[in-house]
Amino acid sequence: MLAEKLLLNMLITISPVLIYSVLADNKRKLDSPVVCGLLQSMAALTCMIFSYANYGFSWDLRYVSLILAFLYAGPVAGGMVFTTIFTTRIIMGGETVLFGLVNTVLIAVVPFLILNRFWRFTPNKRVILTAIIGAWSLLVCFLSLTAFHSVKGQSLTINTNIPDLLIVGLIDTIAIAIAAKLNEGLVEKSRMKEKIQRAEKLNTLGELAASIAHEVRNPLTVVKGFLQLMQQDEKGKNYDYLSLVLSELGRAEAIINDYLNFAKPQFEKLEEFPLVHVLSEVKMLLEPFAVKQGVQLESSLDTSNFQLLTDRNQLKQALVNLIKNAIEATPEGGKVTLTYKLKDNHAYIYITDTGKGMDHDQLARLGTLFYTTKDKGTGLGTSVSLRIIETMKGKVSYESKLGIGTEVTMILPEGKKEIVNF
Ligand code: ADP
Ligand code: MG
């Protein structure tokens, strides 16, 4: 009888979560402590109706609803369940009424006190914590049972009643753990929903920004063309001004191009080529820049015939951005090394510099759009490179020590027609 009643109670304590999840599914957003409080109050009340009377007490799982309401839905919902249990208990009366009321207060105090700290724990720890508070409620009930019997001058025959107490303890713990786990599922679901909505918004914003950038680029090209024509006829001050205007326009154009490239890398012309050729070309391209910065640019390239099938110019762009960053980070007299090795059918490209390096925070921010530490930087180079390599199904990782230097590792898979489909 006891087990049956308690199993029915278990079903009742789980039902608010299930009802809530159905309600939340129907509405876009349902985050109301009052609804939670109402559902849990109804569950607690139903538990009290279907309780098992023994040893002068009613045995049921009303406190499971009380604890869950406090922990998962906040003080308002907890307060509602507390009031429901408290008033119902007064109405029910009986000689144990005082014990019942003291129990309710003692049990409600613990979840109420840890309410603010509860959400700092991980989901699994939250479930364990809820089960521990469930155990606390059992202890309180057991102590008040003993107190009641000693007041009445009877001794509680624990030995003969141990199976009953074990059943209560077991079902109570299982019920609260299951209900907490279901609550966690609900929490996770609503977090995922929020994340998806935010990602959708960002995606739309990104598309909008890309289309605006695209529209701005065309008039910019026209303005630049005419300014170049005007500059040919100008002399003196105006010529210098126009040079400045043109260089700034060039910068704006570069930013827009980089941004568009980031939004959607365009692989226009797919071709098969040996990687080592592109690496030598990039090195040659950047040599004058390195000389200007007073940095030594060295390379050690594997000459085996490793073929890639991709857009050559995009790969060049990605490499140029990363090597340029390495050169810019390196002080005069420093060294940047470009190494290429072939391992397990994958190309390993290392860009090592003896520059200023980055600390943990800087490394974490690297690759975020518009993150730059340079006066004239755009904060787009690394993001664009990472995006290009990612589209090529390659990987890029960074290792850096502040004041010592940085090593970028790029791993590229061999180009096969079936792998590369942009
Ligand atoms: P930008 O070069 O326009 O600043 P990037 O996206 O290329 O934008 O780089 C972002 C930032 O990352 C740089 O401003 C720099 O602080 C840091 N960074 C990138 N590569 C290196 C490197 N090899 N060594 C030190 N810092 C680097
Ligand atoms: Mg850069």
Side-chain angles (χ1 to χ4, degrees):
M1 225 8 219
L2 173 70
E4 281 158 21
K5 279 260 165 83
L6 286 183
L7 283 174
L8 178 63
N9 267 238
M10 185 161 139
L11 200 67
I12 296 168
T13 48
I14 292 169
S15 60
V17 195
L18 302 177
I19 296 173
Y20 195 83
S21 82
V22 173
L23 288 179
D25 267 351
N26 289 341
K27 279 200 170 178
R28 263 184 84 79
K29 199 170 159 58
L30 191 100
D31 207 4
S32 154
V34 177
V35 177
C36 269
L38 268 178
L39 289 173
Q40 295 286 10
S41 300
M42 270 158 61
L45 197 66
T46 324
C47 279
M48 288 167 91
I49 293 170
F50 291 100
S51 65
Y52 179 74
N54 203 358
Y55 319 116
F57 274 84
S58 316
W59 296 89
D60 54 60
L61 301 185
R62 69 187 91 155
Y63 298 122
V64 172
S65 300
L66 179 68
I67 296 167
L68 288 173
F70 264 120
L71 294 180
Y72 281 94
V76 174
M80 285 169 74
V81 182
F82 177 81
T83 318
T84 309
I85 295 179
F86 207 79
T87 39
T88 316
R89 191 66 197 86
I90 293 174
I91 293 167
M92 277 164 71
E95 56 178 340
T96 52
V97 62
L98 203 64
F99 287 90
L101 296 181
V102 172
N103 281 359
T104 315
V105 174
L106 283 179
I107 292 166
V109 156
V110 177
F112 180 74
L113 286 180
I114 66 154
L115 208 72
N116 290 332
R117 266 158 281 170
F118 184 66
W119 290 100
R120 286 189 213 148
F121 293 100
T122 58
N124 282 340
K125 283 197 181 140
R126 283 201 293 265
V127 173
I128 294 170
L129 197 64
T130 313
I132 291 173
I133 299 175
W136 158 250
S137 73
L138 280 173
L139 183 73
V140 170
C141 289
F142 178 70
L143 289 178
S144 78
L145 180 69
T146 329
F148 172 67
H149 279 264
S150 65
V151 165
K152 287 202 75 181
Q154 300 167 346
S155 66
L156 193 62
T157 48
I158 296 292
N159 287 342
T160 50
N161 298 322
I162 271 189
D164 276 2
L165 292 174
L166 274 182
I167 288 174
V168 173
L170 196 73
I171 296 183
D172 189 282
T173 315
I174 292 175
I176 202 160
I178 292 179
K181 197 81 192 154
L182 285 173
N183 265 310
E184 287 300 335
L186 218 59
V187 171
E188 179 65 26
K189 204 170 136 189
S190 83
R191 285 215 175 125
M192 289 276 279
K193 231 183 193 170
E194 257 171 40
K195 256 191 202 165
I196 291 170
Q197 279 167 358
R198 208 174 311 139
E200 261 174 18
K201 245 186 242 163
L202 276 180
N203 196 14
T204 326
L205 267 180
E207 273 173 15
L208 204 68
S211 63
I212 291 174
H214 187 76
E215 291 305 320
V216 168
R217 191 167 54 167
N218 296 340
L220 216 59
T221 320
V222 178
V223 171
K224 204 174 145 194
F226 278 107
L227 282 177
Q228 272 164 343
L229 279 178
M230 281 164 71
Q231 196 189 27
Q232 287 169 2
D233 303 330
E234 292 291 347
K235 279 184 202 80
K237 239 182 177 179
N238 277 355
Y239 184 89
D240 293 340
Y241 289 157
L242 281 174
S243 300
L244 197 70
V245 171
L246 279 170
S247 93
E248 288 303 302
L249 269 182
R251 215 166 91 81
E253 216 174 29
I255 293 174
I256 289 176
N257 284 341
D258 273 354
Y259 179 75
L260 284 176
N261 213 353
F262 173 78
K264 198 167 193 311
Q266 298 286 327
F267 286 70
E268 279 159 0
K269 198 171 135 223
L270 293 187
E271 54 186 315
E272 211 169 335
F273 56 88
L275 176 60
V276 64
H277 284 185
V278 168
L279 290 171
S280 327
E281 274 172 39
V282 168
K283 191 194 167 223
M284 253 164 35
L285 202 75
L286 282 169
E287 215 126 58
F289 181 68
V291 170
K292 202 173 130 216
Q293 300 283 117
V295 174
Q296 206 182 330
L297 181 60
E298 286 188 354
S299 66
S300 144
L301 307 178
D302 191 321
T303 48
S304 44
N305 188 23
F306 185 79
Q307 295 280 329
L308 278 180
L309 174 77
T310 186
D311 187 318
R312 194 184 177 117
N313 286 330
Q314 290 286 356
L315 179 63
K316 255 192 200 170
Q317 180 70 54
L319 286 163
V320 165
N321 288 348
L322 299 183
I323 302 173
K324 204 158 159 266
N325 275 346
I327 297 172
E328 282 167 345
T330 311
E332 252 188 83
K335 197 164 88 176
V336 171
T337 320
L338 176 65
T339 315
Y340 158 47
K341 282 181 196 152
L342 201 62
K343 263 192 259 173
D344 319 319
N345 239 1
H346 280 73
Y348 282 73
I349 301 161
Y350 304 95
I351 302 162
T352 325
D353 65 61
T354 57
K356 59 184 163 94
M358 286 172 277
D359 62 21
H360 190 75
D361 285 349
Q362 286 171 315
L363 265 178
R365 293 190 64 188
L366 193 66
T368 329
L369 269 185
F370 306 118
Y371 164 65
T372 180
T373 54
K374 298 166 196 167
D375 288 342
K376 287 216 153 187
T378 61
L380 279 164
T382 313
S383 318
V384 168
S385 298
L386 297 184
R387 193 67 183 250
I388 292 174
I389 301 303
E390 187 187 297
T391 318
M392 289 178 180
K393 304 217 178 340
K395 278 185 205 139
V396 181
S397 59
Y398 277 81
E399 232 173 86
S400 191
K401 278 214 176 91
L402 212 57
I404 294 177
T406 307
E407 180 173 83
V408 188
T409 308
M410 186 192 285
I411 306 172
L412 289 173
E414 190 165 18
K416 289 196 189 88
K417 286 210 162 52
E418 61 272 21
I419 295 181
V420 190
N421 50 347
F422 305 107

